[in-house]
Amino acid sequence: MRWLIAYDVVKPARLQRIYRLLCGHALPFQESVFLLVGNPVDYDRCMAELLPLLDKRADDVRVYPLPKGGLCRALGGECLPVGVLLHGQ
């Protein structure tokens, strides 16, 4: 399964912690946008580590499940970083 994770975090220190945490679980696409590829256990583990870091009153995190075999289109750049291939592509 694949999930697109996008966030807007207010405080720079919290932003750095969240960025580092997500880099351990997912592939950074753009600033504040990540792709998590894995199974539901991987997703649950990532969310369990992410949620305590957030200020639920000030921060915004959105997670979108992506359909299997869905298209990836990019305007002005590559959809995936150079040299990165996802299983099944």
Side-chain angles (χ1 to χ4, degrees):
M1 295 187 70
R2 298 175 187 167
W3 295 268
L4 190 69
I5 303 170
Y7 61 85
D8 185 15
V9 176
V10 176
K11 289 196 172 182
R14 200 166 50 244
L15 174 68
Q16 287 297 322
R17 285 193 302 271
I18 289 170
Y19 178 83
R20 283 193 305 269
L21 176 120
L22 286 175
C23 281
H25 291 277
L27 176 68
F29 264 179
Q30 293 180 330
E31 287 186 37
S32 304
V33 179
F34 283 77
L35 177 67
L36 174 61
V37 178
N39 58 44
V41 172
D42 298 321
Y43 170 81
D44 290 343
R45 186 177 300 122
C46 180
M47 292 300 112
E49 293 178 31
L50 176 64
L51 290 174
L53 299 179
L54 297 173
D55 178 343
K56 293 171 184 70
R57 294 166 294 161
D59 300 334
D60 183 26
V61 174
R62 305 209 178 189
V63 181
Y64 303 96
L66 299 176
K68 186 174 182 174
L71 296 175
C72 179
R73 306 251 176 174
L75 301 173
E78 294 294 323
C79 190
L80 294 173
V82 175
V84 174
L85 298 174
L86 295 178
H87 179 69
Q89 285 190 325

